[in-house]
Amino acid sequence: MTTAGKVIKCKAAVLWELNKPFSIEEVEVAPPKANEVRIKILATGICRSDDHVINGSLVQPLPIILGHEAAGIVESIGEGVTSVKPGDKVIPLFNPQCKKCKTCKHPTGNICMENDMTAATGTLKEGTTRFTCQGKSIHHFGGTSTFSEYTVVDEFAAVKIDSSAPLEKVCLIGCGFSTGYGSAVKVAKVTPGSTCVVFGLGGVGLSVIIGCKSAGASRIIGVDINKDKFAKAKELGATECINPLDYKKPIQDVLVEMTENGVDFSFEVIGRLDTMTAAFACCNNAYGVCVIVGVPPNGQNLSINPMLILTGRTLKGAIFGGFKSNNDVPKLVSDVLAKKFKLDPLITHVSSLDKINEGFDMLRAGKSIRTVMTM
Ligand code: PAD
Ligand code: ZN
């Protein structure tokens, strides 16, 4: 029996209030309108950015269905959709690529003007939501909302991937892996023989390490206050790992000493102002490049002595590893199929949507890298 054109009732994790657990609810998912795609989500990862919404660091309209790192199969399409068809494997794109706006037409810019992160409305482009629960309309998150068995996205926020891709792994290309890997190879443009430092060894930081190693860095220093993260970081390419709590001096001073006047490339992959300041200060004064990857707390500012910039350091940042999502996501999936890199080491837990709160508790306790919920 086809579900196309009908409302689908399914399970979703709804966040009704900040700092509260998700409620597993039966939601109604309306059929896609023109230029929209309804997707059956088969796998979705838990990323720290979702947690930033729960704790208020990343401000979004509530109630909301979070989740943005996923893969699924197209269930039905709205009028005018041409890039995907029912049955296609797709990855939803929280940082979409419409290919028409000024940013998409720019050779490197990747914050498509159709994105719903920078000034979140919690709706699709048409201006309304497709989710209803207990008679209330529920907001979308980043145009993706993958903590639901079915979701509706704008056509520009979904991309077809290889039909043989293992969805329970390539879901990480929807956010964490691509963000980290691209931050190294595309944003910093790590060079062979260079020295890199990565602050924060979660799923995204470890993906930065994978990128630094593949770009030929000869020294990769991992920094984390949780030493349980060190073994995996070394397995993926870190040549040494340090814990700021083991030193009396500020960690930037330790790093500058360890590396003869600072590193070539530094990455902040936590989302804290103090570690952003440290990451910037520990890169070489003449040519060091610091990339901000962590999402900072809402409404706070960094204070930086301009002298640090004047001598030649570069401070930059990027969403989604600087990748143009529609162009690059299918290529990254093909790279996984060609065994160019492995996603398995990043997936420490496989779980289900019913256990979403336990999955977030493990992330907060530093016990998981990525939990992938399969449906
Ligand atoms: P995670 O929580 O798995 O990893 C963060 C790591 O930082 C953990 O291992 C912590 O132990 C460590 N840490 C915490 N505090 C400190 C500290 N003071 N000093 C040193 N280490 C510390 O998160 P994640 O890997 O999923 O995400 C990391 C950040 O990247 C987070 O801010 C997230 O919102 C952001 C992100 N950005 C994008 C983007 O497009 N720029 C995409 C996805 C995630
Ligand atoms: Zn994410």
Side-chain angles (χ1 to χ4, degrees):
M1 202 182 68
T2 176
T3 44
K6 297 179 185 150
V7 169
I8 292 180
K9 286 187 179 178
C10 69
K11 223 177 347 175
V14 177
L15 183 74
W16 293 101
E17 283 179 72
L18 294 187
N19 298 307
K20 290 275 161 62
F22 292 95
S23 308
I24 301 295
E25 307 271 7
E26 183 181 86
V27 298
E28 287 165 16
V29 185
K33 295 193 179 182
N35 306 311
E36 295 174 0
V37 178
R38 190 159 60 182
I39 304 169
K40 180 171 173 48
I41 297 294
L42 290 172
T44 180
I46 293 180
C47 172
R48 185 62 84 164
S49 302
D50 299 301
D51 193 44
H52 287 330
V53 178
I54 301 172
N55 67 32
S57 290
L58 189 60
V59 178
Q60 296 285 319
L62 299 179
I64 193 165
I65 295 177
L66 298 177
H68 62 280
E69 181 178 87
I73 292 182
V74 174
E75 173 270 338
S76 62
I77 54 176
E79 201 189 310
V81 171
T82 55
S83 62
V84 295
K85 59 180 187 313
D88 283 350
K89 286 187 177 176
V90 289
I91 287 185
L93 308 171
F94 75 88
N95 188 32
Q97 186 190 356
C98 75
K99 303 193 174 177
K100 292 180 188 147
C101 74
K102 194 173 171 193
T103 306
C104 283
K105 285 185 179 152
H106 186 272
T108 58
N110 81 331
I111 307 295
C112 169
M113 290 162 73
E114 297 287 2
N115 86 77
D116 198 47
M117 298 170 296
T118 41
T121 61
T123 69
L124 297 182
K125 182 180 166 78
E126 178 268 357
T128 57
T129 95
R130 301 290 160 271
F131 297 115
T132 313
C133 179
Q134 300 174 18
K136 293 193 185 77
S137 158
I138 310 293
H139 291 100
H140 295 246
F141 173 51
T144 51
S145 291
T146 61
F147 293 160
S148 176
E149 291 173 318
Y150 287 85
T151 190
V152 180
V153 306
D154 286 299
E155 181 180 11
F156 54 68
V159 68
K160 183 178 171 175
I161 58 168
D162 194 297
S163 61
S164 64
L167 300 185
E168 71 288 358
K169 293 185 180 150
V170 299
C171 58
L172 298 195
I173 291 177
C175 180
F177 176 76
S178 310
T179 298
Y181 183 76
S183 296
V185 303
K186 214 171 166 76
V187 184
K189 297 189 171 63
V190 167
T191 49
S194 61
T195 295
C196 302
V197 59
V198 181
F199 285 75
L201 304 174
V204 185
L206 293 174
S207 302
V208 172
I209 291 180
I210 296 173
C212 293
K213 185 173 177 194
S214 79
S218 56
R219 193 172 177 197
I220 304 171
I221 307 170
V223 178
D224 204 297
I225 50 171
N226 179 353
K227 63 176 175 14
D228 296 346
K229 304 279 174 119
F230 293 174
K232 178 79 42 107
K234 287 182 182 161
E235 178 193 325
L236 292 173
T239 50
E240 63 226 272
C241 290
I242 58 173
N243 182 345
L245 304 176
D246 290 342
Y247 299 87
K248 288 207 176 70
K249 281 189 207 172
I251 198 67
Q252 52 268 44
D253 296 354
V254 174
L255 285 159
V256 167
E257 275 171 27
M258 278 171 73
T259 59
E260 239 184 284
N261 203 28
V263 302
D264 299 289
F265 302 98
S266 65
F267 300 86
E268 201 279 356
V269 205
I270 304 166
R272 296 173 55 94
L273 301 186
D274 58 344
T275 42
M276 289 178 183
T277 306
F280 187 50
C282 78
C283 67
N284 183 282
N285 63 349
Y287 50 76
V289 175
C290 172
V291 180
I292 303 294
V293 186
V295 175
N298 180 46
Q300 293 186 24
N301 295 320
L302 271 183
S303 164
I304 285 175
N305 180 337
M307 201 60 201
L308 291 173
I309 296 177
L310 196 60
T311 59
R313 290 181 183 85
T314 302
L315 179 60
K316 57 198 298 197
I319 297 289
F320 200 58
F323 285 120
K324 284 185 179 274
S325 56
N326 191 289
N327 296 352
D328 293 322
V329 162
K331 290 186 203 155
L332 289 165
V333 170
S334 301
D335 286 347
V336 170
L337 294 174
K339 301 196 161 48
K340 194 171 155 197
F341 41 73
K342 281 202 269 184
L343 299 170
D344 306 65
L346 302 173
I347 303 170
T348 52
H349 299 78
V350 178
S351 173
S352 62
L353 193 59
D354 292 319
K355 302 226 169 70
I356 188 167
N357 290 311
E358 287 91 325
F360 274 83
D361 287 344
M362 270 193 298
L363 177 74
R364 293 175 193 129
K367 295 204 165 84
S368 58
I369 298 296
R370 276 301 195 259
T371 296
V372 171
M373 300 181 289
T374 54
M375 304 182 216

